[in-house]
C-alpha cells in the first residue's frame, strides 16, 4: 500500500510539473500588448492551471513524503518555482516596466548613476539602483528590464530560499523545509500598502532581511568561544572555528549591505541585533540553559550601528523624516482610525468594504500570526527548555522593539509608514508560524498514531496559497490597479517632453507626469535644477466631470491621458471621481486639441479662454 501511494504521489507530482512548465511557456508566449488592468486576468488560464498544480501537489507531497527522499525535494522545488513564477509574472509577460509610482523615480536615479551624473555616495539607498546598473551592463539589457530582474527574481528568490532554511535552524522537525517554503510562498510581508512587489528599496530590504535572520540564528546557535575552548580541543576544531568566524563576518557584511539597500530597515535590524544580544546576556546571567553555549553578536551589532551612523545622517532626508515622526506625535493630525474611516467610505462607493479587503490582504498573515503566538506561548510555558526554544526566544526578543516602533508609527500622522514595520515584522512571524505548523503536525501525528497532523498541515498551509497568490500583485481584486508601465506610456511621455513648450504647464488624471519627468530627465536633476510646470498637477474633479476645460484654466495647458488612467477610473473605480463622460468630452470640446496619440497615450492642449 505504501509503495502504491508513493507511485501515485510521483505520478501526480510529475503531472503537476509538466503542467507548470507548460503554463510558464504559455505566459511567455502571450506577452502584454498594452496596459493591463490586472496581470492575473491577462495571464493565460494555462499558466494558472500549471501554477495551481505545482503549488497544491508540490505542497502536499513535500509535507507528506519522507524528508530524506527525492520526492520531498521535488515537492519543495515545485512550490518554490511556482511561488517565484507568480512574483515574476511581469517579467514573463514582457512588461516594459513594472512600477508606476515611486519605482519610476528610482529608475530615474538609476539612470543618473548609469550615466555618471550622480555618485553612489550621493544617494541614500543605492543598493537596488547600482545592482540594476550592473545587471544592465553585464546582461546587455535596458535599465528598466535590469531593475525588474533584480527586484522580481533575485529578491523573492532569496526570500523563498532562506525562510525555510531559517525554519530548519529553529527546529521545525522533518517538515521544517516544507512548511517554510509554503509559508514563504504566501509572501505575507508584501501588503501592497507600504511593501510592494516593484522597485521599492524598503520592500526589497524587508524581503532580503530573511537572509540576515538566517545568518543571525545560524551564527548565534553555534558554540561560543568559551565553550569551544573548554577542555581538550577535538580533532579538526581549528578549521571549524575558522568557518564559524567566517559566518560572523558574513553576518556583519549582510547587515551592512541592508544599510545600502534601505537604512530604515537597517535600523530595524539594528534593533533586532540589540534585543537579541541583550536577551542572550540576560539568559547567560540568570540561567544555565542553552544560551550559555551560544555566541554573542556584540561585534556584529557594533559594526551595523557604526555603518548606520556613518552613512545615514549625511542625508537631510533622514533628519527630516525623524523630525516629522516625533513632531506628528505631538500634533493633532488625522489618526490612523480616521484614515481608515475615510478609506472605508471610498471603498463602499466602489462596491467594497474594509472587512473584505482585510481578508483578501491579511488572512494569511493573520493565520501565521496566530500560529506564531501559539508557538511563543508554548516556548514560554516550557521556559526555554532546549536549544530550539531558546532560538525562538531570540526571535521573539527581536520582535519586541519592532512592535514598539510599529505602535509609534501607528500613532504618528505620517501616512501609512506603519505598514512598513508591519511588513518587516511579518518576516519573523512567517518563520515562527511555519515552525509552529511543522511542530503541530508532528505532535498531532505522534499523539494520534495517525497522520492527522499531516492532514491539518496540508489543509492549512496549502489552503492559504490561493489567497496569498492573489494578493502578491495589485489588481482590481484588492481595488488597486496594476503597476504596469506600458511601452506606449514611455514613448508617449518621452516624445512629449522632447517637443514641449517649456512654459506650458501640464496636468493629468489624479496628478501630473511627475514620475515620468523623474525617469526622463533624472530624479536628482529634476529635484535640484529642472523647472517643470505642472508636474504634480491633477485635473480638478469638478472640471473633469463638467468637461469645461477651456474655462477652468487661465493659460494654455497640456493634458496627458493614458489608457491605463481610463481603465482605472472608469472600469475599476466605476467613475468614482473621474467619469467616462469627462474622457469623452476631451475629444468633443472646442479648444481642446489632440496633439499626439499612440494607442495608449494621448496628449491634448487646452486653449484657455
Amino acid at each position: 500500500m505504501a509503495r502504491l501511494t508513493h507511485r501515485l504521489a510521483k505520478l501526480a507530482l510529475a503531472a503537476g510539473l509538466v503542467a507548470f512548465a507548460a503554463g510558464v511557456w504559455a505566459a511567455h508566449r502571450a506577452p502584454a500588448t498594452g496596459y493591463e488592468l490586472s496581470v492575473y486576468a491577462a495571464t493565460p488560464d494555462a499558466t494558472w492551471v500549471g501554477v495551481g498544480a505545482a503549488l497544491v501537489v508540490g505542497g502536499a507531497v513535500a509535507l507528506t513524503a519522507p524528508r530524506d527522499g527525492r520526492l520531498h525535494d521535488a515537492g519543495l522545488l515545485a512550490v518554490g518555482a511556482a511561488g517565484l513564477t507568480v512574483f515574476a509574472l511581469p517579467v514573463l509577460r514582457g512588461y516594459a516596466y513594472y512600477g508606476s509610482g515611486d519605482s519610476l523615480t528610482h529608475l530615474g536615479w538609476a539612470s543618473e548613476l548609469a550615466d555618471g551624473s550622480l555618485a553612489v555616495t550621493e544617494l541614500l539607498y543605492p543598493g537596488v539602483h547600482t545592482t540594476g546598473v550592473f545587471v544592465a551592463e553585464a546582461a546587455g539589457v535596458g535599465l528598466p528590464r535590469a531593475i525588474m530582474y533584480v527586484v522580481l527574481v533575485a529578491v523573492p528568490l532569496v526570500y523563498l530560499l532562506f525562510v525555510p532554511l531559517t525554519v530548519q535552524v529553529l527546529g521545525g522537525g522533518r517538515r521544517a523545509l516544507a512548511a517554510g517554503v509554503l509559508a514563504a510562498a504566501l509572501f505575507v510581508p508584501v501588503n501592497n500598502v507600504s511593501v510592494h512587489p516593484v522597485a521599492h528599496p524598503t520592500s526589497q530590504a524587508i524581503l532580503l532581511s530573511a537572509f540576515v535572520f538566517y545568518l543571525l540564528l545560524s551564527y548565534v546557535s553555534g558554540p561560543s568561544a568559551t565553550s569551544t575552548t573548554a577542555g581538550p580541543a577535538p580533532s579538526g576544531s581549528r578549521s571549524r572555528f575558522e568557518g564559524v568566524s567566517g559566518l560572523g563576518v558574513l553576518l556583519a557584511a549582510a547587515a551592512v549591505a541592508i544599510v545600502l539597500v534601505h537604512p530604515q530597515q537597517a535600523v530595524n535590524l539594528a534593533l533586532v541585533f540589540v534585543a537579541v544580544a541583550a536577551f542572550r546576556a540576560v539568559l547567560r546571567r540568570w540561567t544555565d540553559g542553552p544560551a550559555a553555549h551560544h555566541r554573542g553578536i556584540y561585534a556584529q551589532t557594533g559594526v551595523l550601528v557604526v555603518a548606520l551612523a556613518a552613512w545615514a545622517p549625511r542625508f537631510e532626508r533622514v533628519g527630516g523624516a525623524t523630525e516629522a515622526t516625533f513632531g506628528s506625535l505631538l500634533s493633532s493630525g488625522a489618526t490612523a482610525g480616521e484614515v481608515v474611516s475615510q478609506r472605508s467610505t471610498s471603498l463602499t462607493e466602489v462596491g467594497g468594504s474594509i472587512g473584505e479587503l482585510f481578508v483578501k490582504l491579511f488572512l494569511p498573515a493573520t493565520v501565521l500570526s496566530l500560529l506564531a503566538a501559539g508557538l511563543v506561548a508554548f516556548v514560554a510555558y516550557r521556559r526555554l527548555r532546549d536549544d530550539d526554544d531558546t532560538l525562538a526566544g531570540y526571535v521573539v526578543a527581536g520582535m519586541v522593539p519592532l512592535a514598539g516602533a510599529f505602535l509609534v508609527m501607528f500613532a504618528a500622522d505620517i501616512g501609512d509608514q506603519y505598514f512598513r514595520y508591519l511588513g518587516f515584522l511579518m518576516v519573523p512571524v512567517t518563520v515562527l508560524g511555519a515552525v509552529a505548523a511543522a511542530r503541530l503536525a508532528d505532535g498531532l501525528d505522534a499523539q494520534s498514531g495517525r497522520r492527522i497532523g499531516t492532514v491539518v498541515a496540508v489543509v492549512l498551509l496549502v489552503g492559504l496559497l490561493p489567497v496569498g497568490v492573489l494578493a502578491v500583485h495589485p489588481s482590481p481584486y484588492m481595488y488597486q490597479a496594476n503597476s504596469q508601465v506600458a511601452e506606449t506610456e514611455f514613448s508617449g511621455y518621452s516624445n512629449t517632453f522632447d517637443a514641449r513648450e517649456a512654459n506650458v504647464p501640464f496636468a493629468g488624471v489624479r496628478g501630473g507626469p511627475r514620475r515620468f519627468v523623474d525617469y526622463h530627465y533624472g530624479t536628482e536633476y529634476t529635484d535640484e535644477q529642472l523647472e517643470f510646470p505642472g508636474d504634480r498637477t491633477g485635473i480638478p474633479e469638478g472640471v473633469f466631470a463638467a468637461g469645461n476645460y477651456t474655462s477652468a484654466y487661465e493659460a494654455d495647458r497640456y493634458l496627458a491621458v493614458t489608457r491605463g488612467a481610463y481603465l482605472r477610473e472608469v472600469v475599476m473605480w466605476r467613475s468614482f471621481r473621474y467619469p467616462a463622460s469627462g474622457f469623452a468630452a476631451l475629444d468633443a470640446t472646442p479648444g481642446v486639441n489632440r496633439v499626439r496619440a499612440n494607442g495608449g497615450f494621448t496628449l491634448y492642449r487646452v486653449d484657455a479662454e
Side-chain angles (χ1 to χ4, degrees):
M1 184 65 181
R3 183 173 298 178
L4 176 61
T5 302
H6 181 76
R7 288 181 178 178
L8 290 176
K10 288 177 66 175
L11 289 174
L13 186 56
L17 289 174
V18 170
F20 170 71
V24 172
W25 178 250
H28 179 67
R29 295 288 293 174
T33 57
Y35 180 81
E36 303 170 341
L37 193 57
S38 169
V39 68
Y40 295 100
T43 299
D45 293 340
T47 303
W48 294 119
V49 171
V51 167
L55 288 173
V56 174
V57 178
V61 168
L63 285 169
T64 56
R67 170 65 184 86
D68 56 353
R70 293 182 179 178
L71 192 59
H72 172 272
D73 297 339
L76 295 180
L77 179 62
V79 174
L84 183 61
T85 296
V86 172
F87 211 102
L89 276 177
V91 172
L92 284 174
R93 299 288 321 292
Y95 281 11
Y97 191 60
Y98 190 52
S100 55
D102 287 353
S103 298
L104 282 170
T105 296
H106 292 298
L107 188 56
W109 270 316
S111 65
E112 289 176 308
L113 290 173
D115 64 25
S117 60
L118 178 66
V120 173
T121 55
E122 296 174 352
L123 187 57
L124 177 60
Y125 26 60
V128 172
H129 312 76
T130 52
T131 306
V133 172
F134 173 79
V135 171
E137 294 179 355
V141 298
L143 192 55
R145 171 66 49 166
I147 294 288
M148 291 173 66
Y149 287 156
V150 172
V151 173
L152 301 177
V153 178
V155 174
L157 181 60
V158 169
Y159 181 79
L160 283 168
L161 178 62
F162 285 100
V163 165
L165 289 177
T166 307
V167 174
Q168 182 171 254
V169 171
L170 285 175
R174 66 186 182 88
R175 293 186 178 87
L177 293 178
V181 168
L182 286 166
L186 296 171
F187 288 110
V188 294
V190 179
N191 52 48
N192 276 299
V193 180
S194 286
V195 185
H196 307 279
V198 299
H200 188 235
T202 193
S203 301
Q204 279 77 70
I206 287 172
L207 293 180
L208 286 171
S209 69
F211 177 52
V212 182
F213 273 102
Y214 169 74
L215 293 176
L216 171 64
L217 294 173
S218 297
Y219 180 75
V220 169
S221 61
S224 65
T226 55
S227 64
T228 301
T229 57
S235 175
S237 63
R238 178 177 176 83
S239 62
R240 185 176 71 239
F241 185 78
E242 288 175 352
V244 165
S245 178
L247 183 61
V249 172
L250 182 58
L251 172 61
V256 171
I258 299 295
V259 175
L260 300 179
V261 177
H262 202 286
Q264 183 184 41
Q265 306 313 321
V267 170
N268 290 342
L269 279 178
L271 293 175
V272 171
F273 278 36
V274 170
V276 171
F279 187 60
R280 172 184 171 274
V282 169
L283 291 179
R284 285 171 61 88
R285 174 68 176 82
W286 297 105
T287 70
D288 57 355
H293 307 290
H294 288 168
R295 296 192 188 95
I297 55 169
Y298 305 115
Q300 289 82 3
T301 304
V303 169
L304 176 56
V305 171
V306 168
L308 273 168
W311 180 264
R314 301 185 303 109
F315 299 89
E316 294 182 4
R317 186 173 181 177
V318 174
T322 304
E323 292 177 6
T325 300
F326 287 100
S328 64
L329 291 172
L330 304 176
S331 66
S332 57
T335 65
E338 292 171 341
V339 173
V340 170
S341 177
Q342 295 168 1
R343 295 188 178 183
S344 177
T345 302
S346 299
L347 273 173
T348 302
E349 292 290 334
V350 297
S353 68
I354 287 291
E356 172 199 359
L357 192 59
F358 177 85
V359 171
K360 291 178 176 179
L361 291 181
F362 299 110
L363 177 61
T366 301
V367 173
L368 289 176
S369 298
L370 292 174
L371 287 170
L375 177 65
V376 171
F378 177 73
V379 168
Y381 173 76
R382 286 164 53 95
R383 297 184 179 181
L384 308 181
R385 183 180 303 172
D386 56 25
D387 196 70
D388 294 339
D389 288 355
T390 304
L391 291 178
Y394 292 150
V395 176
V396 175
M399 292 172 61
V400 171
L402 296 178
F406 168 78
L407 293 176
V408 169
M409 290 297 172
F410 188 81
D413 176 28
I414 52 172
D416 50 16
Q417 283 282 322
Y418 51 90
F419 276 105
R420 292 189 179 187
Y421 288 85
L422 179 63
F424 193 95
L425 275 167
M426 284 300 108
V427 176
V429 165
T430 298
V431 171
L432 293 178
V435 172
R439 290 192 186 183
L440 178 64
D442 286 341
L444 289 175
D445 282 354
Q447 289 183 2
S448 65
R450 300 178 181 179
R451 309 197 76 179
I452 294 178
T454 302
V455 173
V456 170
V458 170
V459 172
L460 184 63
L461 294 177
V462 177
L464 285 174
L465 286 174
V467 184
V469 164
L470 287 173
V472 171
H473 298 287
S475 70
Y477 168 78
M478 62 180 70
Y479 303 99
Q480 292 185 15
N482 190 359
S483 291
Q484 174 193 8
V485 179
E487 181 58 41
T488 52
E489 294 175 335
F490 272 136
S491 61
Y493 278 112
S494 178
N495 293 331
T496 294
F497 296 157
D498 289 340
R500 71 184 176 97
E501 290 186 38
N503 62 333
V504 177
F506 276 72
V509 178
R510 289 187 183 254
R514 169 198 167 195
R515 302 297 188 178
F516 288 92
V517 172
D518 287 344
Y519 167 65
H520 184 78
Y521 293 99
T523 303
E524 199 70 17
Y525 173 74
T526 299
D527 290 343
E528 300 296 332
Q529 302 181 45
L530 181 66
E531 294 183 6
F532 195 102
D535 64 336
R536 299 170 185 257
T537 304
I539 309 171
E541 296 173 25
V543 171
F544 191 85
N548 58 338
Y549 307 106
T550 56
S551 60
Y553 297 115
E554 297 179 355
D556 290 0
R557 188 171 298 262
Y558 290 122
L559 221 70
V561 179
T562 64
R563 174 66 176 167
Y566 177 86
L567 291 176
R568 287 190 293 269
E569 301 298 335
V570 177
V571 177
M572 185 177 70
W573 290 321
R574 304 181 183 181
S575 298
F576 175 55
R577 292 184 177 177
Y578 294 88
S581 59
F583 287 96
L586 289 170
D587 289 316
T589 302
V592 179
N593 306 297
R594 181 183 295 190
V595 177
R596 182 187 305 277
N598 62 12
F601 172 93
T602 305
L603 179 70
Y604 299 91
R605 178 160 177 158
V606 178
D607 297 332
E609 291 183 354

